[in-house]
Amino acid sequence: MVKRRIAEILRSGQPDESLLIQGWVRTKRELKGFAFIEVNDGSSLASLQVVMNQDLPDYEAIIKKLNTGASVEVAGVLVPSQGKGQRIELKAEMVKVYGEADPETYPLQKKRHSYEFLRTIGHLRSRTNSFGAVFRVRNACATAIHQFFQERGFLWVHTPIITANDCEGAGELFNVTGLNLKDIPRADNNAVDYAQDFFGKPTYLTVSGQLEAEVMAMAFSNVYTFGPTFRAENSNTSRHLAEFWMVEPEMAFCDLDGDMDLAEAFLKHVFKYVLETCPEDMEFFNQRIDDTVLSTADNIINNEFQRLTYTEAISLLEKADVKFEYPVSWGLDLQSEHERYLAEQLFKKPVIVSDYPAKIKAFYMRLSDDEKTVRAMDILAPKIGEIIGGSQREERLDVLEKRILAQGMKPEDLWWYLDLRRYGTVPHAGFGLGFERLVQFMTGMGNIRDVIPFPRTPQSADF
Ligand code: ATP
Ligand code: MN
């Protein structure tokens, strides 16, 4: 008998087809002489209704085992459904129970659970409607991202997870060591003797693949990374994880305007793809999580993003008739409340802020002729704040060296990065997108811990 996925059966299954499904019981309803079992295999939000007639062999014994969470295989024939809510259902001819789930202890009974509670059962929460929808949409976002870049001839490059560079100079690094922490080798001045460590020097988990992506862009023109990044930031917010996925395109022969154009086309593509491939899940988010999810997606796809400079943004914030917690003044970084005011209240759509003060931005961003600002841009999304951060990179060797020194870093540590400016340098630009922030934005999920299967946050690395 042919095994079929439930999503496909619900979409195109026809009466009289004989087939087999495998999945987990969501609910059981026993009536006189027969029972309805909802079976879900993760392929769609909707479950397939299975009808079991009491004349099936071992009916009583099997029915007892079919509690919420049990794993089953059902063979049977599709019949038009008499009931409301589904076009078709499966009339069981054989039901095999793989594993039972004791209703006294299985924590996912048919009622709504809070996301806080579900985080404590991270190994089971993917079996709920909400997390099923989130992780299908997450998968669709990832597919859309690869599709977008591959269609445009970008090479997917794999940058290292263990690195000796602190790219952002942010100091939010996790150390990687092979040293025995109970017996740390010391140098003369009592400092840790990293010469004896695995790599012979201090190493960290990467905070960004950008510098290495620049290396690859100088050979392949257009590249992107899509991989995990790590930040030991002790910020317990609904938008920060210690381990998150980042997408970082890098383009040679490209300036900041080209970068902004790409970022906007990119977000539009991903939203469009997800709406087309996951309509049922997106409808679910709109009904159950945030009733602006579909209108936001529509807004992204059909409107041009608002572009303005940091200087313009500051003057708009100074005129705003709301009280901000943090001060607004030229030279200070925008806080999330400012970002959200611009995107959510003022423009009501994604906003691209560009040309930030050089002092608050990373050393590799291209200095403008005013010598006060750099060609950086952030895309700010309603409800999320910063979703993309990008820049045109400094391609002039002398300027870059000065900027590295000004930020208290050593040019010799970045000799290979500077070589890219020594040999065949070109204007180039790129951006970083926090993948989980994108999934949050897409689904309306309020907490970033609920859009990654296994969140890592301060004091929490379970499952
Ligand atoms: P924020 O100010 O929100 O902390 P950032 O300025 O530190 O962001 P970047 O260093 O520019 O962010 O990183 C690029 C992108 O990665 C951000 O635009 C954001 O989408 C995402 N990002 C940054 N930090 C985190 C984090 N801790 N967890 C999840 N995503 C993150
Ligand atoms: Mn940060």
Side-chain angles (χ1 to χ4, degrees):
M1 193 151 326
V2 253
K3 181 182 161 182
R4 299 264 299 272
R5 296 303 299 274
I6 287 170
E8 194 212 325
I9 296 169
L10 293 172
R11 202 166 43 235
S12 60
Q14 293 303 321
D16 298 332
E17 278 182 69
S18 285
L19 50 84
L20 179 143
I21 59 160
Q22 293 168 323
W24 291 265
V25 173
R26 282 293 174 82
T27 58
K28 163 175 78 177
R29 254 189 317 141
E30 290 186 68
L31 299 160
K32 212 173 157 56
F34 63 104
F36 289 120
I37 316 291
E38 296 278 336
V39 180
N40 193 287
D41 65 0
S43 60
S44 68
L45 187 68
S47 300
L48 182 65
Q49 178 157 287
V50 171
V51 196
M52 283 178 66
N53 209 295
Q54 65 177 6
D55 53 25
L56 278 171
D58 287 333
Y59 177 80
E60 292 298 332
I62 291 173
I63 269 293
K64 262 204 202 78
K65 296 180 181 171
L66 290 179
N67 295 307
T68 301
S71 47
V72 286
E73 177 174 289
V74 183
V77 57
L78 291 180
V79 294
S81 178
Q82 309 295 316
K84 273 192 252 146
Q86 64 273 317
R87 181 179 63 86
I88 210 146
E89 61 194 21
L90 183 63
K91 190 167 176 300
E93 287 164 355
M94 184 284 295
V95 177
K96 172 176 162 186
V97 180
Y98 275 85
E100 295 180 55
D102 182 355
E104 297 296 317
T105 57
Y106 185 62
L108 288 176
Q109 295 305 324
K110 193 175 167 60
K111 63 163 193 157
R112 272 217 221 173
H113 300 282
S114 74
Y115 291 123
E116 287 76 16
F117 168 71
L118 290 171
R119 267 172 235 144
T120 69
I121 49 165
H123 58 307
L124 297 172
R125 67 175 184 168
S126 294
R127 302 186 193 181
T128 63
N129 283 339
S130 296
F131 287 95
V134 167
F135 297 134
R136 276 186 300 273
V137 165
R138 186 180 163 107
N139 169 68
C141 288
T143 307
I145 287 167
H146 284 301
Q147 189 189 66
F148 177 84
F149 289 121
Q150 294 294 330
E151 276 173 0
R152 283 163 182 75
F154 283 60
L155 207 71
W156 180 23
V157 298
H158 303 97
T159 52
I161 286 173
I162 300 176
T163 173
N165 325 306
D166 171 6
C167 170
E168 302 284 326
E172 292 161 340
L173 298 161
F174 284 104
N175 292 286
V176 174
T177 182
L179 294 175
N180 177 358
L181 295 184
K182 292 192 192 106
D183 182 17
I184 297 172
R186 299 282 174 183
D188 295 343
N189 54 3
N190 206 34
V192 176
D193 184 9
Y194 283 107
Q196 294 189 49
D197 201 350
F198 191 92
F199 297 105
K201 58 177 157 186
T203 49
Y204 316 94
L205 292 178
T206 186
V207 296
S208 158
Q210 183 201 312
L211 302 188
E212 292 91 349
E214 285 186 57
V215 168
M216 299 305 273
M218 293 302 122
F220 298 99
S221 304
N222 292 335
V223 302
Y224 68 106
T225 72
F226 188 174
T229 48
F230 307 86
R231 300 208 181 160
E233 47 196 346
N234 221 331
S235 44
N236 247 313
T237 78
S238 56
R239 302 177 309 117
H240 289 92
L241 291 164
E243 176 179 304
F244 64 100
W245 286 63
M246 192 130 70
V247 178
E248 294 179 286
E250 191 68 39
M251 292 162 288
F253 308 101
C254 182
D255 63 9
L256 190 70
D257 294 320
D259 200 32
M260 293 194 273
D261 291 344
L262 184 89
E264 182 167 345
F266 166 79
L267 284 178
K268 287 184 153 77
H269 173 87
V270 178
F271 271 86
K272 221 166 150 189
Y273 181 90
V274 172
L275 280 187
E276 278 165 19
T277 53
C278 303
E280 193 192 19
D281 293 323
M282 291 299 285
E283 186 66 48
F284 172 84
F285 294 124
N286 205 64
Q287 278 178 23
R288 301 279 284 269
I289 307 294
D290 175 349
D291 64 6
T292 64
V293 159
L294 290 178
S295 57
T296 301
D298 198 62
N299 182 339
I300 303 267
I301 295 168
N302 296 308
N303 290 299
E304 276 185 23
F305 294 5
Q306 182 69 42
R307 299 189 190 192
L308 73 165
T309 64
Y310 166 89
T311 305
E312 289 164 345
I314 290 293
S315 82
L316 289 171
L317 289 167
E318 280 169 344
K319 282 186 222 134
D321 53 1
V322 292
K323 190 100 193 80
F324 294 119
E325 194 183 327
Y326 291 90
V328 173
S329 137
W330 203 99
L332 296 181
D333 207 356
L334 300 182
Q335 299 296 321
S336 145
E337 56 173 347
H338 308 135
E339 299 178 341
R340 291 183 59 169
Y341 169 79
L342 292 170
E344 247 163 84
Q345 276 158 270
L346 200 59
F347 294 110
K348 300 185 170 38
K349 60 180 177 177
V351 171
I352 312 184
V353 180
S354 66
D355 300 283
Y356 283 81
K359 283 225 173 70
I360 58 171
K361 288 291 184 182
F363 70 90
Y364 52 71
M365 299 185 177
R366 192 179 195 281
L367 194 63
S368 296
D369 292 343
D370 63 13
E371 302 208 343
K372 285 207 277 296
T373 60
V374 286
R375 298 244 68 198
M377 63 103 174
D378 279 356
I379 302 191
L380 315 176
K383 301 221 164 78
I384 310 293
E386 179 182 336
I387 183 165
I388 282 180
S391 65
Q392 184 173 336
R393 321 304 190 189
E394 185 54 76
E395 85 283 14
R396 298 162 297 184
L397 180 63
D398 54 329
V399 184
L400 185 57
E401 278 174 334
K402 274 190 211 130
R403 295 264 294 145
I404 290 174
L405 287 167
Q407 304 222 352
M409 301 163 68
K410 293 199 212 95
E412 40 302 4
D413 290 348
L414 287 166
W415 63 273
W416 54 272
Y417 187 70
L418 291 167
D419 263 3
L420 302 177
R421 279 71 179 168
R422 261 179 212 113
Y423 309 118
T425 191
V426 295
H428 61 292
F431 64 78
L433 162 98
F435 184 57
E436 285 74 20
R437 298 235 182 125
L438 173 72
V439 181
Q440 267 194 288
F441 188 28
M442 185 76 66
T443 58
M445 293 296 286
N447 196 311
I448 198 164
R449 292 166 179 78
D450 299 329
V451 297
I452 186 166
F454 305 103
R456 269 85 185 93
T457 52
Q459 300 298 310
S460 165
D462 295 331
F463 311 109

